């Protein structure tokens, strides 16, 4: 098939004058040219038909030998111009300087059906930004990224996408928990897809170096290519652009909170300028509800990136971005306006999600407290967040019988302790719902559209990983097929909607994940 690549990032922005893989500080440039490092035996292990359709790829292409060669890193389609992007970032609250694509290589910008899609390989070998690492990725982390990219899309959460998962036929040595116990694991490459992989850190790096000319060039490029609706905004375009970045970020994080997703490593280099969930590393879904939970072992002490602080961290990251952009503004007022817009939009999104999750028609005073009290009961009762919210739709408001909530409890003792207060809350909720007067079927339908039945719990991903590492890659496709319809009851697939089993409570990969996960 004919493909049209229009690689504006490398065509319109300055590139690194040095070639080769020497690790180095790259000054005055947005990217470095290089090619992926070939692998021994590339083989397609899984792919997303939905993402393939976005690109105009059909099954025949995906199953061709050439596809595995290209998306394993051994070959290029005509028109591809691979590069690694140069950016910096704050990591765990501290400025880290230059970071860049250490194990990601963008192949090109594909144009199809009026849309632009950047194709990026993760795990395709070293780059000038690899900082001593090998640029590879292991199968377990690649499965997690592939599955979660698509699962989040089907949940309705703004996200980058995943086209393919290609096994390399090689082993990669990793110390999963950085505890001195490295081992060789199967290697893999994921092809990530997004309109743009530009990050907050893309603008932070030149600003930190006082390179205002490159900063301005990057901002103008991003507005022109990725925010074409601002083309006629004139002198206000920078302010309106920053406001859009802020509001898109608000929408994204509000969706994270709606479905119980924890990113795990919200460094500024992992924040998309388009408001897309980016870089799936030590993520997880809240199971027994705890706003202080983080899946990231690196963050186990400080818990900076725990579930309950994601909104505040997003705001902090946006403040860092505003500071980086400040040389382009005569005063801080437009930047503050953008930050204020983040808070306003986030609060509006949260209200809408609250109403939908609780099955409320419209907003009334006291609704926020109703939600807060329910979340406290979930925590005190050690209840599964996903199961509890989904079960609310099945509670009859006439009787307020809590039987549908029984499968959400992890501890009989915690259930017994919270039972009286939970019964009182269910009666409060029932009165509120009955006062709305919504037909029961309509209310239930709306609640089920906001509260997923299936999410990518870490233990589900780990089961697929375990099977894949034993050669059974069908498990990946089976799980992805369930996650394509997260809001639908799927008879025969009830096992995918169960609370976390006991074996997964302390299992590596289920409750404990590192940045290499």
């Amino acid at each position: 098939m004919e493909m049209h690549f229009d690689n504006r990032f490398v065509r319109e922005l300055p590139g690194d004058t040095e070639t080769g893989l020497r690790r180095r500080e790259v000054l005055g440039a947005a990217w470095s040219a290089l090619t992926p490092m070939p692998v021994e035996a590339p083989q397609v292990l899984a792919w997303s038909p939905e993402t393939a359709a976005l690109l105009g790829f059909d099954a025949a292409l995906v199953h061709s030998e050439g596809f595995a060669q290209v998306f394993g890193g051994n070959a290029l389609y005509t028109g591809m111009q691979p590069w690694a992007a140069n950016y910096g970032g704050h990591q765990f609250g501290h400025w880290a300087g230059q970071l860049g694509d250490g194990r990601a290589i963008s192949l090109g910008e594909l144009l199809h059906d009026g849309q632009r899609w950047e194709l990026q390989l993760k795990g395709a070998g070293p780059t000038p930004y690899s900082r001593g690492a090998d640029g590879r990725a292991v199968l377990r982390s690649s499965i997690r990224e592939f599955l979660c990219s698509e699962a989040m899309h089907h949940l309705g959460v703004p996200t980058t996408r995943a086209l393919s998962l290609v096994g390399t036929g090689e082993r990669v040595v990793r110390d999963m928990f950085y505890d001195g116990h490295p081992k060789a694991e199967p290697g893999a490459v994921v092809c990530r897809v997004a309109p743009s992989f530009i990050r907050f850190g893309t603008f932070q790096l030149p600003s930190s170096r006082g390179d205002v000319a490159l900063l301005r060039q990057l901002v103008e490029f991003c507005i022109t290519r990725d925010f074409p609706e601002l083309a006629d905004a004139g002198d206000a375009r920078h302010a309106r652009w920053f406001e859009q970045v802020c509001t898109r970020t608000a929408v994204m994080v509000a969706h994270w909170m709606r479905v119980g997703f924890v990113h795990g490593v919200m460094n500024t280099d992992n924040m998309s300028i388009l408001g897309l969930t980016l870089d799936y590393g030590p993520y997880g879904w809240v199971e027994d509800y705890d706003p202080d939970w983080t899946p990231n072992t690196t963050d186990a002490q400080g818990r900076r990136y725990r579930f309950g602080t994601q909104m505040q961290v997003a705001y902090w990251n946006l403040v860092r971005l505003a500071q980086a952009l400040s040389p382009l503004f005569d005063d801080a007022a437009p930047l503050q306006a953008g930050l204020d817009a983040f808070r306003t939009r986030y609060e509006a999104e949260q209200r809408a999600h609250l109403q939908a999750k609780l099955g409320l028609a419209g907003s009334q005073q006291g609704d926020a407290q109703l939600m807060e009290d329910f979340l406290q009961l979930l925590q005190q009762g050690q209840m599964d967040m996903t199961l509890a919210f989904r079960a609310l739709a099945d509670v009859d408001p006439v009787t307020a019988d809590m039987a549908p909530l029984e499968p959400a409890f992890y501890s009989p003792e915690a259930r017994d302790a919270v039972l009286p207060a939970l019964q009182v809350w269910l009666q409060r909720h029932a009165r509120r719902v009955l006062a709305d007067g919504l037909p029961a079927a309509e209310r239930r339908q709306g609640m089920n559209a906001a509260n997923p039945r299936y999410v990518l719990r870490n233990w589900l991903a780990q089961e697929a990983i375990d099977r894949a590492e034993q050669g059974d890659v069908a498990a990946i496709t089976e799980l992805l097929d369930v996650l394509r319809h997260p809001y639908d009851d799927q008879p025969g697939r009830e096992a995918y909607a169960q609370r976390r089993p006991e074996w997964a409570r302390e299992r590596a990969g289920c409750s404990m994940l590192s940045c290499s996960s």
Side-chain angles (χ1 to χ4, degrees):
M1 63 171 287
E2 184 178 351
M3 302 180 194
H4 182 199
F5 287 92
D6 176 39
N7 307 311
R8 291 182 63 176
F9 193 85
V10 296
R11 189 176 74 243
E12 298 183 10
L13 292 171
D16 187 0
T17 56
E18 181 178 337
T19 58
L21 297 177
R22 183 181 72 86
R23 277 53 161 185
R24 58 190 182 270
E25 286 287 306
V26 177
L27 303 174
W31 54 273
S32 298
L34 74 166
T35 54
M37 183 171 287
V39 299
E40 185 175 315
Q43 178 184 5
V44 177
L45 305 179
W47 63 289
S48 165
E50 294 88 352
T51 302
L54 293 176
L55 308 175
F57 294 177
D58 57 20
L61 176 69
V62 173
H63 293 136
S64 68
E65 181 180 350
F67 184 92
Q69 293 293 324
V70 170
F71 293 102
N74 287 12
L76 299 173
Y77 290 135
T78 300
M80 288 180 167
Q81 295 176 268
W83 74 88
N86 188 16
Y87 50 82
H90 281 84
Q91 296 192 324
F92 297 95
H94 303 284
W95 176 244
Q98 177 182 292
L99 297 168
D101 285 334
R103 59 173 174 165
I105 298 174
S106 291
L107 299 176
E109 300 172 39
L110 178 68
L111 300 184
H112 176 69
D113 198 22
Q115 299 292 317
R116 178 180 301 271
W117 300 103
E118 184 175 334
L119 310 182
Q120 185 179 86
L121 300 185
K122 186 172 182 178
T127 78
Y129 310 103
S130 296
R131 305 187 299 283
D134 60 14
R136 292 302 191 191
V138 294
L139 179 62
R140 57 178 164 82
S141 65
S142 301
I143 289 174
R144 286 172 51 79
E145 175 126 19
F146 173 79
L147 286 173
C148 201
S149 301
E150 293 303 285
M152 291 284 272
H153 166 73
H154 293 298
L155 282 167
V157 182
T159 180
T160 58
R161 304 293 299 275
L163 169 64
S164 58
L165 172 69
V166 174
T168 63
E170 299 177 349
R171 309 291 285 186
V172 178
V173 177
R174 285 290 182 272
D175 186 349
M176 182 175 179
F177 293 111
Y178 314 117
D179 60 0
H181 296 88
K183 68 174 185 177
E185 304 182 47
V189 178
V190 171
C191 179
R192 310 194 292 190
V193 177
S196 170
F197 284 94
I198 292 178
R199 305 142 186 272
F200 290 10
T202 303
F203 307 96
Q204 288 184 282
L205 184 61
S207 183
S208 73
R209 292 169 167 173
D211 191 346
V212 178
L214 179 56
L215 173 65
R216 186 181 302 275
Q217 190 173 2
L218 283 164
V219 169
E220 294 294 346
F221 171 83
C222 183
I223 293 173
T224 301
R225 190 192 67 170
D226 300 326
F227 294 78
E229 65 275 16
L230 301 179
D232 299 327
D235 293 341
R237 66 187 181 281
H238 288 174
R240 290 182 57 188
W241 169 70
F242 181 67
E243 180 179 349
Q244 278 209 28
V245 172
C246 291
T247 54
R248 291 187 188 196
T249 302
V251 170
M252 175 188 72
V253 176
H255 273 293
W256 291 358
M257 303 305 290
R258 174 180 66 84
V259 300
F261 174 78
V262 190
H263 185 280
V265 59
M266 290 177 67
N267 296 330
T268 57
D269 57 299
N270 293 336
M271 297 293 291
S272 161
I273 207 70
L274 296 183
L276 303 175
T277 313
L278 177 67
D279 285 338
Y280 290 101
Y283 65 80
W285 261 265
V286 172
E287 294 188 296
D288 48 325
Y289 182 79
D290 181 1
D292 290 331
W293 180 72
T294 175
N296 189 348
T297 57
T298 310
D299 197 26
Q301 296 302 314
R303 298 184 181 272
R304 177 181 179 83
Y305 297 140
R306 61 193 183 273
F307 177 61
T309 62
Q310 291 185 123
M311 178 271 193
Q312 291 89 340
V313 172
Y315 183 83
W316 190 92
N317 288 343
L318 286 164
V319 171
R320 304 288 83 75
L321 177 61
Q323 291 171 341
L325 298 172
S326 62
L328 306 183
F329 290 81
D330 293 331
D331 64 73
L335 293 168
Q336 186 59 55
L339 295 171
D340 293 343
F342 168 84
R343 291 187 178 278
T344 300
R345 183 60 180 272
Y346 182 82
E347 291 169 1
E349 293 290 320
Q350 281 290 81
R351 284 194 300 272
H353 294 327
L354 177 157
Q355 292 169 26
K357 289 181 76 66
L358 293 182
L360 309 180
S363 178
Q364 293 185 15
Q365 187 176 8
D367 286 350
Q369 189 61 54
L370 189 68
M371 172 65 90
E372 180 59 32
D373 291 346
F374 187 56
L375 294 176
Q376 289 183 7
L377 291 168
L378 295 188
Q379 185 171 10
Q380 294 165 6
Q382 297 180 31
M383 298 175 70
D384 188 279
M385 178 181 175
T386 300
L387 294 180
F389 272 105
R390 182 75 178 195
L392 269 183
D394 295 327
V395 174
D396 184 349
V398 175
T399 62
D401 182 2
M402 66 162 286
L405 291 166
E406 291 288 356
F409 289 99
Y410 282 93
S411 162
E413 293 78 16
R415 173 202 176 277
D416 293 345
V418 81
L419 185 59
L422 179 58
Q423 194 65 63
V424 170
W425 185 90
L426 288 173
Q427 292 166 358
R428 287 170 57 201
H429 179 249
R431 288 193 296 271
R432 174 70 176 83
V433 166
L434 292 172
D436 283 338
L438 273 181
E442 181 180 340
R443 176 181 57 82
R444 188 175 187 277
Q445 182 180 22
M447 294 177 74
N448 285 346
N451 297 310
R453 170 74 75 192
Y454 303 93
V455 295
L456 183 59
R457 298 168 183 269
N458 278 334
W459 63 271
L460 289 173
Q462 189 60 47
E463 285 187 327
I465 290 167
D466 290 344
R467 288 174 59 184
E469 289 181 339
Q470 297 301 313
D472 181 10
V473 296
I476 305 168
T477 302
E478 290 169 10
L479 181 52
L480 178 60
D481 193 46
V482 173
L483 298 170
R484 280 194 177 95
H485 306 284
Y487 299 99
D488 297 342
D489 292 324
Q490 300 179 44
R493 290 173 161 174
E494 291 79 8
Y496 293 97
Q498 293 178 355
R499 64 176 181 263
R500 181 193 61 239
E502 274 303 307
W503 63 261
R505 181 180 291 273
E506 303 296 336
R507 167 78 189 277
C510 299
S511 59
M512 302 171 290
L513 295 153
S514 71
C515 289
S516 72
S517 299

